[in-house]
Amino acid sequence: MAAYIENSSKAAAKICFQLLLTVCVIFATKTSKRLVSDDGDDIISSLSLPIQHSIQTGDQLVFIERGSLNFKSLTHGTGSYHQSSALMPHESNLLKELAASGGLYRARVPTQLLSLQTSEDIGYVSSYMKACSLLESNMSDEVTIHADQSGQVLGISILPIKGTCTKSIDEISAMDLTTFNTTVTLSLVVPGPVPDTQAYLEKMEEERLQKKANGTDNRSFFAKYWMYIIPVVLFLMISGGQEQPRGGGGGGS
Amino acid sequence: MAASSSITTVTLVALFLAHFPSFEALYEDQVGKFDWRQQYVGNIKQCIIEHGGTRRHIFVSTDANVLAGIHAKTGNVAWRHIFRQGDIGVINALIYTGQELVTVTGNGFAVRMWDPSSGVLQWETLTSQTTPMEKSQTPAVLKFNEENSAKKPRIAVTYAGHVSVVNIKNGEELWKDAIPNSDSVQDFLLQVSTDEDDDGVLVVIGRVPGIGFRVVRFNAKDGSVLGQTQIPSPWVQEDTKCITLSGDKIVCADTQSKSIRIATVKPKQQTQSGFISVPLIKLQLQIQDFRVEPLEKFSMDAGDHQSFVLRLNEESIAWVKLDGDDIRIIQNIPSVLAHSFDLYKEQYMLTTASEDQSKRFILLQSFSKDGEVASLKNRIQLPTQSGSIIMVSASHMDKKDKSIGSRVLVKTSDEGLHLIQQGGQITWSREESLASALSVEMVDLPVSETEAQFEDEFGTKKGDNIFSMFARRISTQMSQLQSYFVHLKKKIESFQHGGVVHHGVDQLTYAVQYESDETMGEYLTRDEFSLHKIIIVATKPGKVFGLDSEDGAILWSYFLPNVAPIERGGKLTLPLMIQRTTAHFPNPPQCTIIAKSKDSDKNVIFSFNPINGKPSLPEYPVGQVLPNPLRQATMQNIVDLEFMKVIVLLDKDNKVSVYPSTAESIVAKNMDKIYLFTADSTSGALNGYRLLPLEENELLKGEFHPIFSAEEVWHVQLPSLLQRITHVVSKRPTEEVHSQGRVLGDRTVLYKYLNPNLVVVISEGEDATAKSHVTVYLIDVVTGNIVFQTDHKRVEGPVHVVHSENWVVYHFWNNRFRRNEVTVLELFEGKSQKNSTAFSSLDPPSAPLVERQSYVFSEALQAITTTQTEKGITSKHVLMVLQSGGIVSLPKRILDPRRPLVPTQQHKEEGLIPYTPELVVPQTAYINYNQSVFGVRSIHTSPAGLESTCLVLAYGLDFYFTRATPSNLFDVLKEDFDYLLIGTVLIGLLVAAIVTRRLASMKALRQAWQ
Amino acid sequence: MKTVYVRTVLCILTRLFLLLLAYGEDAVDSAKRNPNELFTIEGKASVPGMKASEWIPATKILIDGGTYQGFLKSDGSFQLFVPTGSYVIDLTHPALDFEPQRVDVNSKGNKRARKLNNIQPNAVSHLTYPLRFKPKGQMNYFQKREEFRIIDILKSPMVIMMVLPIVFLVLIPKLINTDDPEIKKEMQSLNLMNPKQDMPDLSEMVTNLFGGGAPPQKKKEKAVKGKKK
C-alpha cells in the first residue's frame, strides 16, 4: 500500500513536472512570437570605403583610386584615411594644371543603394571642390561621409581647409604634392525631436507641490505697501515744515 | 487622474496667458473690408437640374469628389459636400428621383441619400463590412422601381463581386448576394425584367472580354438566384460599349464589323439566341467610329421606348429606336458638340448644342421624338476665352403660360459652367477651372501715367539741353495738375453716387468677369501702399486668370486649349514665373508659363502681360513649342539689358537653353555662378550640374537651341526601396532677412546660418520593420553636402513643410501616440560669422548648430506657409490652414527651438517663452474668422508696399484672400484714430485759453481800478 | 501495466489539451478577427438654442483630421464606419466650438469614449458612449475695440492733476463767502497763493535737523510783512 502510494506520488510528481515543462515551453514560444526585433537588417559594425578622385581637365572624367576611408564603428564620429599610394609626378602635374585652369577636383565613394534597385554595377555618390583651393590648403581637406543608420552611404562632402584661391601659377608649380592630409568624419541620421511631455509633467507636479507647501504671500505689511507709505510721510513732513517756521515767525513778530 | 489632467490644463492655460505674446486679432468691424472668399466645386462630371420640388437647385458631382447643390438663379453654391480624395471618395453615380438625391461613391462602396434642398444626409448604407479595397472597378448602378410602383424605388449596386439592393426611401439594404462566376468578369451591366410569374427580376450581366456575357438572374425582392446562362460572343472586347434596354435587350457597338449587335436575354434556362448583327451600312450613315449610349445613365429607359443614342464619329448623333430585330432612326443630327436627354411629361426630349454656320454662335436646339421644337431654338454667344462646349444638361418644364420652356447648363472645355434660360441669355457663368488652380503669383499694378512721365523727364535722348528739360518738366507738372483736378471731380461724383461699383454682385461667392470700362485704366494703377495687386492664377485646364485682389473679380482671362500641366513626382505643376515686374517703365511686365502639350510630350512656353492678359509675343498666341522635352526650368536672378529675368531650360539630353534667347551672352558671362539640381522622387537620386559651353559642332540654329551643356558635378543617393522623396522645398528667392543673428541674454550674438542654396528634402515611406517613417534632409545644392539629416519613426504623412530664413517647420501625424506634431529646426553658425557679406557654398562655414524642438499640435493641416514682408523687419508668423477650415497665424516666437523648459534669468532677458509641449491655438489667431475654407491646395503670401502688411491668398476649392499684419499695423495710423476727439480737444483748449486770458486780463484791470 | 498505460495516455492528452488551448485560441481568434472589419461609432450632436437647420449644414465631422469621413443627419445624429483602432472625433463649425473626443474601438467591437489628452495619450477619462457633442460656446475671433469712455479720461492722473486743483480753486471760494475779512485772513494764512517759499523749506528743515539755527525766520518775517503791505 505504502509502496503503491509512493509510486503514485512519484508518478504524480513526474506528471506535474512535465506539465510545468510543457506550459513553460508554450509560454516561451508565445512570448517569442511577440518579441519582434526592431532592426531587421544586420548591423555593420565597421565600415571601409574606397575613395576615388578625378584630377584631369577636359570633358572626359576619369576616376582613379585615391585611398580608403575606415570607420571603426557606426557611431557619429571620426574615421581614418589611408592613402593607397603617394601621388605620382604626372598625377601631381595634372593636379597643378587643374588648379591653374580653375577646374574642379572631384571625389566619389561607392554606395550600395543604387545597386539595390537596378542591376547595374556599383553606384557612386560624388562631390567636388575647387582644385585651386585644395592646393591653397596644402592638400589638407575634410571628407564627410553621410550615411543612414544601417550604414548605407547617402552622400559625400569634400571641403578644403582654406576655401579661397590666392596662389599664383608660379607658386602652384613650385609646390610639392604627394600626400593628402585628410580628416574624415562620419555623419549619421540624428533621431528627430519628440515633444518632451515627461519632463513637462514632472515640472508641473513639482510646481503644484511647491505651491501647496508655500501657502499665501507672507511678506511684512511694510514690504507690501512701502510704495504708498513713503509719499504720505514725505507730504506730512513738508506740511509740518511749513507750520513750524510759520508758527515761529508768527510767534516772533 | 482627472484632477491632475484638469490641473495640467489649467496651469497650461494660465502659463500660456501669462507668457504668450499679445496677439493681434481682427476687430469685428474689419470684417469684409479687405478679405473675400470664393467657393468652387470643381470640374463637373454629372449634372442634374432639379425638376421636382421647388426647382431651385442644380445638383452636380465633380472630379474633385465634390457633391454640390447650386442655386439655379444666382449660380451660388447652396450646399456642398467634399468627399475624401482618391478612389474612396469618387462619385460614381448621382441619381435624382424627384424627391430624393442618391449618390454612389467609392466605386460602389457607399450609397447615401441627401435632402435635395439642404444637402443634409438622410441615410447612409455601406455595401461592404470591411474597409474598401485599394483598387476597385467602376460599379454598375441601376435605379428601378420594384413592382413598377413609384412608392418602392430601389437602387442596385455592384461592388467586389457582390450585388446589393437598397431601398431608396429609408436606406435599408434589402438583400446582398455574391455574383457567382464573377472571376474573369471585367464589368457588369444591370437590367430589370419581369418573370413569367410577374415577379421583378434583377439581371446582372457580366462581360468577359473575348468570351461573352455571363447572365445571372436574381429575384428583385429577396435576392434568390433564379438562373444563370451565358451568351457567347467572342467579338466582345474590353472597350466595346454595351448598354441594356427595357424588354430584356442588350445592345453593343461592334466597331470591328461596323454593326450593332442586339441580343435578347431570355428568361429561364433557355439557351440564349446570341447576338443579331445589324450592319450600319443599312442605315446610310457615314461612320468610322461609333458608340452606343443610353438615354439616361443609371435607370432603365422609361416605359417601353427601347431607344438609345448612337454616337457617330464623335461629331454627329442619331437617336435610334429598336424595332423588333432592326433599328430605326428617330432623329439624326449631324455636327453636334454635346447633347443630353431629359424627361418632359413622360416623353424624352433631346437637347443639342452645335456650332452655328458662322462659327461665332452656338445653336441650342430641342427635339422630341416627333421633331424639333422650334420655340426652343436659341442662338447664344459664349464669352471669348471659353473654349468649346463639351457637355450639356437640360431640363424642360412648363412655363407660366403653359408653353414649353427649357433651362440648359453648358460646360465648356475650360471647365466653365454657363446657365442659359429661355431667351438665349446666359444667366450666370462659373469659372470652375479656378478650383484646380496650380500656381499663383501676385503682381504690382503699374504706376499712373503722370508718375511714368516723371521717369521720362530726365530724358534718354541725347542732345537735350537744360531748356528742353525744363520745358518738359513744366508740361509734365501742368498735366499732373490737370489730372489731379479730374481726379478730384471724379471723387466728388463718386461720393455722391455712393462709391464706385465695378460689378453687380455684392459679395462675390464665385469670380465674376468685370465689364471693361475706361475707368478700368485708372482703377488699375498702383495705390499709395501698393496693397492693390493683380493675382495671376494658372489652372489645370490651361486657363490663366488675372484676379483683382480687392474683391476677387476676374479682370482678364486667357485660355490655352492644347496645354496640360506637367507631372512631377505624382503631383501636377504648372510653373508660373514673373520675369519682369511693373517697376521698369517703359518695358511692359511679363509673366511666363511652362506647360506640357496635350498632343505630344513636348513642352510649351507662353509669355503674357499680367496687367491685361495679352500674349507678350503676338505671333505666338498659344505659346511656343519647345523642340526637346524638358527636365527642368528655373528662373535665375540674372537680368538682361531690359530688366527681364532669364529662364534656364534643362532638357532631357542635359543640354541647356535660355529664354529669352537675347540673353545668351549675359548668361554666358555668368555661367560659373549658375548651378542646377534635379531630384528624382522614384529613384531617390539627387544630381547637381554646372554649365559648360557647347562645342561648336553641336550648336544648332533656331529658337531655343541649346547653348550650354549641363555637367554633373555631384550626386547624392537617398534610399528609395521603401521610401520616396515627397517634398523638395527651397527658400523663396526674393525673401529678405533683416537681422543676421539673435541677441542672447548675455548680449552676445548667435549668428544665423543663412545658406541661400539650402534645400529641404523630405522622404516618406516605411522603414525595414514596416513601420511608417519620415526622414528630413537639409542639402546644400551647390556641393551636394548633406548639412543635416534627421528622421522620425512611426510617423506618417502627409507632411507639410515651410522653409524660410534659417529655419524649417514641418508638421506630421505621429502614429505611435496618435496625435499631430510640429517640429522646428533652426540653424546657427555660432558666436562668430565666417563671412558677413556673402555666403559661398564652396567655402562654407563649419557645420551649423541645429537647434530643434517638437510640439504636440491639436489639428491636422491642409497647407502651411510663412508671412513675407518687403524688408523682413516685421516678425514672421507661420500661417496654417487647418482641416477644420480655419486659417491660423501663429507667431514664430512660439515655434522657437530655444524655448527652455525651466527659464533662467538669461532666457527671460532674451525673451524666450517657456516650453510647453502642446501648442494651443487661441481663437483670436484665426484670420478668416467664420469664413471656413475647405479643399485648400496651398496658401500663397506676398509682400505689400507697407512693411507691416502681408497679402495672403489660400487657393484650392475655396479661395480666401486677406491681409495679415504680424506685428500689428505699426507703420500706419490705426483705423480708429480719434481725429474727431483730438480735434475737438485742441480747439476747445485753444478757445478756453483765449477766453480765460481775456477774463483774467479783465479781472486784473478791474482789480487795478479798485 | 494498465495503470502505466493509462497514465501516459493521460499525460499526452493533457499536454495536447494545453497546447490546443494556447495556440488554438489564437487560430480561432484570428479567424474571427478580420483586421479590416468596420465597426460603427454612433453619436449625437445638439446645440441648445439653435434650430437644427441652422447649424447642421455647416457642421463637418473630422475623424483623425480627415482620414475617415462621416456626415450628420438632420436630427444631429451620426454614424461613423471605422476599422479597429483609436480615433479622434471632432466636430467643426465656423461659429461653434466643440470639444474633440477620443474613441477606442477594439478588435471585438467594444467602443470606449474618453477625453482627448494629447500630452498623456494613454490617460483614460471616460465619456459617455454613444458620443454626445455639445458646443463649449461660441467661437470668439475678434478683439474688442478700445471704447471711448469719459471715465477713462477722468481717471488718468494727468487730468486729475490738472482738473482737480482748478476745481478746488474755483469751487471753494464760491462756497465760502470771500468778503468776510476773517476768512480772507485765513485764506491768506493758508499760503495758497503765495509764491513758493515752502519748497526750499524742506532742505532747510533737513539742515535744521542736523544743525540748529533760526536765521531763516527773519527772512520769512520780512517777506510776510512785505506781502501784507
Side-chain angles (χ1 to χ4, degrees), chain A residues 5-228:
Chain A
I5 293 173
E6 208 190 290
N7 266 348
S8 54
S9 62
K10 259 201 222 160
K14 246 211 253 176
I15 292 175
C16 285
F17 179 66
Q18 282 167 344
L19 269 172
L20 206 63
L21 216 63
T22 342
V23 168
C24 287
V25 164
I26 292 168
F27 270 119
T29 49
K30 266 209 141 171
T31 43
S32 73
K33 254 207 312 195
R34 289 205 198 101
L35 276 173
V36 182
S37 63
D38 268 45
D39 30 23
D41 39 350
D42 325 297
I43 306 177
I44 312 170
S45 53
S46 73
L47 190 60
S48 172
L49 296 164
I51 177 168
Q52 301 175 334
H53 64 179
S54 154
I55 48 176
Q56 285 179 327
T57 46
D59 288 336
Q60 299 296 344
L61 281 180
V62 176
F63 280 93
I64 46 182
E65 180 143 342
R66 175 176 140 168
S68 66
L69 308 167
N70 303 306
F71 302 97
K72 285 211 194 64
S73 70
L74 269 194
T75 52
H76 210 111
T78 51
S80 59
Y81 168 68
H82 173 247
Q83 184 155 355
S84 51
S85 54
L87 272 184
M88 314 260 263
H90 77 271
E91 288 176 350
S92 167
N93 283 337
L94 281 172
L95 192 53
K96 287 184 191 168
E97 250 177 76
L98 193 64
S101 61
L104 301 177
Y105 169 83
R106 297 157 211 256
R108 75 178 185 186
V109 152
T111 173
Q112 296 273 340
L113 286 171
L114 257 183
S115 55
L116 279 173
Q117 230 196 342
T118 56
S119 50
E120 285 175 348
D121 18 20
I122 308 195
Y124 293 92
V125 289
S126 60
S127 183
Y128 67 97
M129 60 177 167
K130 273 194 140 52
C132 55
S133 53
L134 176 63
L135 265 56
E136 179 85 11
S137 5
N138 269 326
M139 308 293 275
S140 325
D141 53 0
E142 293 170 348
V143 172
T144 313
I145 299 287
H146 307 279
D148 69 358
Q149 259 128 4
S150 50
Q152 313 270 29
V153 174
L154 302 175
I156 174 178
S157 91
I158 178 161
L159 291 167
I161 303 278
K162 287 216 198 87
T164 49
C165 287
T166 50
K167 290 212 162 118
S168 65
I169 299 189
D170 310 317
E171 286 176 8
I172 291 176
S173 26
M175 287 177 75
D176 178 26
L177 317 165
T178 42
T179 50
F180 287 92
N181 177 8
T182 310
T183 19
V184 183
T185 17
L186 178 67
S187 145
L188 291 177
V189 173
V190 171
V194 190
D196 198 4
T197 49
Q198 277 292 61
Y200 178 76
L201 286 171
E202 284 165 7
K203 186 178 99 150
M204 286 288 110
E205 277 296 314
E206 263 182 45
E207 273 189 19
R208 198 165 60 89
L209 293 171
Q210 240 188 12
K211 228 183 193 153
K212 256 197 208 160
N214 253 358
T216 49
D217 199 7
N218 49 6
R219 291 183 299 176
S220 69
F221 173 78
F222 194 69
K224 273 194 276 190
Y225 295 115
W226 63 268
M227 283 196 299
Y228 307 103

Side-chain angles (χ1 to χ4, degrees), chain B residues 443 536 576-579 589-593 606-610:
Chain B
V443 171
I536 312 285
L576 169 68
M577 305 173 201
I578 305 178
Q579 280 190 287
Q590 180 165 317
C591 280
T592 304
I593 285 185
F606 173 68
S607 297
F608 59 97
N609 181 335

Side-chain angles (χ1 to χ4, degrees), chain B residues 313-361:
Chain B
N313 287 345
E314 298 290 341
E315 263 180 18
S316 48
I317 60 166
W319 185 0
V320 173
K321 188 178 160 77
L322 275 187
D323 201 0
D325 279 341
D326 204 351
I327 55 179
R328 189 165 55 87
I329 299 181
I330 302 177
Q331 292 288 347
N332 181 10
I333 298 130
S335 72
V336 151
L337 293 171
H339 71 275
S340 99
F341 280 89
D342 69 296
L343 275 173
Y344 170 67
K345 289 188 177 150
E346 306 291 314
Q347 298 289 327
Y348 276 111
M349 300 288 287
L350 164 69
T351 312
T352 60
S354 40
E355 250 185 350
D356 196 6
Q357 303 286 36
S358 59
K359 301 273 184 197
R360 282 195 305 127
F361 293 91

Side-chain angles (χ1 to χ4, degrees), chain B residues 697-727:
Chain B
N697 53 2
E698 287 182 315
L699 279 175
L700 304 160
K701 288 294 162 218
E703 277 296 320
F704 302 112
H705 55 269
I707 47 171
F708 304 103
S709 75
E711 184 198 11
E712 182 179 313
V713 285
W714 59 263
H715 175 76
V716 161
Q717 179 66 42
L718 300 180
S720 57
L721 206 58
L722 297 168
Q723 304 192 14
R724 300 186 58 223
I725 299 180
T726 51
H727 297 265

Side-chain angles (χ1 to χ4, degrees), chain B residues 988-1000:
Chain B
L989 282 177
L990 205 65
V991 164
I994 294 173
V995 164
T996 0
R997 183 156 56 144
R998 209 118 155 93
L999 283 175

